[in-house]
Amino acid sequence: MLFIVTFFLIFGWKITFLLDISALTACVLAGQYIYLHKESVKIIKSPAVISLFILAVYSTIIVFTTGFTDPQPILRAFRALIILIASFGLYNLYKQHYRKHDYKIAQHIFLCIFIHSILIISMYCCQPLRLLVYDITKASDYVNLHIPYLEGYQICGLTYGLSQTSVLQIFGVLLLPILYKESDNNSTKILLALSFPIIIISSILCGRTGIFISIFLLPLYLILKLVISKFEIKTLLRFLKTSLCFLLSFSVLFALAYFYLPQKFRSDRLVKNLEILDVFKNKSKTLKDVKNMYFLPKSINQSIFGIGNYGRTKTFYLESDAGWIKSIFAVGFIGTLLMVYPFLLGIYKSLIKLKFLKEYAISIILILLATLMLNSKELALLTRNQWSIQAIIIVILSDFNKKEIKKHVNSIPF
């Protein structure tokens, strides 16, 4: 039952423009947590909750004082706050039902992403299924209607983004080290290795951004892994052995995908993803377009406080897709700092707990960093699907109190 709740919190689709299954799930979870559990008062002390509450109030003031031309800054802030509170409720339910609740949550999030991967690949191969899912989710009302999407060259699954979903799918890969380490069953480890290429392929079918960001995250993962392994030869050899197994699995299943997926996979998706290499040669058109999207409002006051509009309304269109620029125009530097604060806080806490949280800390750092990197291309902070996962892992991280930190730290030989 909790798995289904988690799935709908992450991938719940829209019912109307303002109402969706994810938001309804979040409201129910937040409501039951606040009204049924006395310990819910601790969320008042959560720095992440405080920052989002201030953001919600601040966004409301800015939007109303600038003529109420765009409700999105208000809706985004309040939704993010409700999802974070809902994540406290969800985490509390997992603690009640599972002994290893942290692992179970990570496992369920991974399974949600893996199932979504299967759906994406199935939609790519089967047009009737693709049209059925898009009809249910009303995707055509919200997704950018360009040729690759309309002809099924890019798939958004149950979401309403392409690059966003491409990165979201990579979260599944970033959770694999946790599941692999916690598993004592060889059969489970084999299944995890086999899931790796499936998730990667689903990310490729959504867009190029997931793979592009992964290229930058991989070296960081290796560095953090070396730090927590203390450069021990035995640990490094075990890590190398595991990596080779995953690479073998990837090679075999990717080869099968190359030959058995529709021809458009080879002629379009692989070609488009190989164009990522042009970025490193400074020949990428996308990179040049992104560079041209960076500019600030003409007024200093507008840069600091914002104009209450994300730039996608009839009254104001912003000639930029870059997330940092859109948020600065909407809620200024002040609002942008409030939006990014939970991410920076999560990364900071993970770093100081790196030596005893190990794989958990690495996964959290990389998942949060992935969104900060994506925000350079498009608005990714506090977006519906990604934030649902990130809110949950931020709550997991906050559950380690100072006493536990001291106990773990004192047990580490420095």
Side-chain angles (χ1 to χ4, degrees):
M1 182 64 184
L2 284 179
F3 168 74
I4 296 174
V5 173
T6 303
F7 185 89
F8 282 134
L9 182 64
I10 298 170
F11 290 111
W13 54 89
K14 286 180 176 288
I15 302 172
T16 67
F17 178 74
L18 296 176
L19 192 64
D20 59 70
I21 295 174
S22 175
L24 287 174
T25 304
C27 288
V28 172
L29 284 170
Q32 66 85 28
Y33 182 65
I34 291 172
Y35 293 109
L36 299 181
H37 299 280
K38 294 180 180 179
E39 65 176 38
S40 64
V41 294
K42 75 178 184 180
I43 65 175
I44 300 174
K45 300 178 182 179
S46 168
V49 171
I50 293 172
S51 69
L52 292 183
F53 176 77
I54 295 173
L55 174 66
V57 174
Y58 175 81
S59 299
T60 302
I61 294 172
I62 293 299
V63 169
F64 274 93
T65 56
T66 54
F68 200 87
T69 58
D70 184 7
Q72 287 304 313
I74 300 174
L75 296 176
R76 178 179 290 267
F78 274 101
R79 182 192 179 97
L81 177 61
I82 292 170
I83 287 178
L84 182 56
I85 297 173
S87 297
F88 276 95
L90 183 64
Y91 184 72
N92 184 68
L93 292 173
Y94 272 96
K95 286 183 72 172
Q96 292 177 11
H97 289 85
Y98 297 103
R99 185 175 61 87
K100 296 177 66 175
H101 50 276
D102 295 343
Y103 168 71
K104 206 65 183 179
I105 293 176
Q107 183 187 58
H108 281 184
I109 293 174
F110 171 81
L111 286 174
C112 289
I113 295 173
F114 179 72
I115 290 172
H116 196 238
S117 300
I118 298 295
L119 178 63
I120 287 171
I121 294 172
S122 300
M123 290 170 65
Y124 187 75
C125 297
C126 179
Q127 182 180 7
L129 175 62
R130 181 171 72 250
L131 297 178
L132 174 63
V133 172
Y134 286 163
D135 183 57
I136 293 172
T137 62
K138 300 179 177 64
S140 60
D141 294 340
Y142 308 101
V143 181
N144 186 14
L145 300 179
H146 61 303
I147 297 300
Y149 164 76
L150 292 172
E151 295 187 356
Y153 285 84
Q154 285 182 270
I155 307 295
C156 62
L158 295 173
T159 74
Y160 301 90
L162 295 169
S163 294
Q164 296 269 354
T165 310
S166 178
V167 175
L168 174 69
Q169 293 303 114
I170 294 298
F171 289 0
V173 174
L174 299 178
L175 289 171
L176 274 173
I178 298 174
L179 306 183
Y180 195 86
K181 183 182 178 182
E182 295 287 341
S183 176
D184 297 324
N185 190 311
N186 287 331
S187 298
T188 302
K189 289 184 176 181
I190 292 172
L191 290 174
L192 289 173
L194 292 174
S195 69
F196 171 65
I198 293 174
I199 295 174
I200 292 292
I201 290 169
S202 71
S203 177
I204 291 173
L205 297 182
C206 298
R208 295 173 288 184
T209 313
I211 302 300
F212 177 72
I213 288 178
S214 299
I215 293 173
F216 291 93
L217 294 181
L218 179 59
L220 181 57
Y221 172 79
L222 295 175
I223 293 170
L224 294 173
K225 186 68 178 179
L226 288 172
V227 171
I228 65 172
S229 67
K230 301 173 188 176
F231 298 91
E232 293 179 354
I233 299 299
K234 184 179 178 180
T235 305
L236 294 176
L237 288 175
R238 192 185 306 121
F239 171 69
L240 181 60
K241 179 183 176 181
T242 302
S243 299
L244 289 174
C245 290
F246 273 80
L247 285 174
L248 178 62
S249 167
F250 177 79
S251 300
V252 172
L253 287 187
F254 197 84
L256 291 173
Y258 184 86
F259 289 107
Y260 290 102
L261 284 182
Q263 194 273 337
K264 60 184 178 180
F265 178 72
R266 300 188 294 275
S267 62
D268 179 75
R269 284 296 86 205
L270 288 184
V271 171
K272 292 290 176 60
N273 276 268
L274 286 173
E275 289 176 2
I276 291 172
L277 298 175
D278 291 339
V279 174
F280 301 97
K281 300 175 184 177
N282 200 26
K283 296 180 180 179
S284 171
K285 181 180 181 300
T286 302
L287 184 61
K288 292 178 181 177
D289 291 340
V290 170
K291 288 179 179 178
N292 293 331
M293 292 179 183
Y294 277 81
F295 51 86
L296 294 174
K298 297 178 180 179
S299 164
I300 295 178
N301 286 338
Q302 289 180 347
S303 295
I304 295 174
F305 301 106
I307 62 172
N309 194 310
Y310 275 118
R312 289 298 180 268
T313 62
K314 293 180 180 179
T315 56
F316 173 62
Y317 184 85
L318 180 64
E319 294 289 343
S320 175
D321 292 324
W324 300 111
I325 302 305
K326 292 181 73 172
S327 64
I328 288 171
F329 269 86
V331 290
F333 283 110
I334 294 175
T336 301
L337 286 173
L338 291 169
M339 291 173 72
V340 80
Y341 178 77
F343 293 83
L344 299 179
L345 179 67
I347 292 170
Y348 170 72
K349 286 190 173 183
S350 296
L351 285 172
I352 64 175
K353 301 174 184 181
L354 182 63
K355 290 190 176 182
F356 66 88
L357 283 183
K358 297 183 178 180
E359 274 73 15
Y360 278 93
I362 293 177
S363 295
I364 291 171
I365 290 169
L366 298 184
I367 286 174
L368 295 175
L369 272 179
T371 293
L372 294 180
M373 293 172 67
L374 176 60
N375 202 59
S376 299
K377 178 179 179 289
E378 58 189 75
L379 187 60
L381 298 179
L382 308 179
T383 52
R384 41 186 290 123
N385 308 106
Q386 290 189 33
W387 175 243
S388 294
I389 293 175
Q390 289 160 338
I392 294 170
I393 62 177
I394 286 173
V395 171
I396 293 174
L397 193 61
S398 68
D399 195 48
F400 287 85
N401 57 41
K402 292 182 180 179
K403 185 177 179 180
E404 289 174 311
I405 295 173
K406 186 176 180 181
K407 179 182 69 175
H408 283 281
V409 171
N410 289 340
S411 67
I412 299 170
F414 287 95

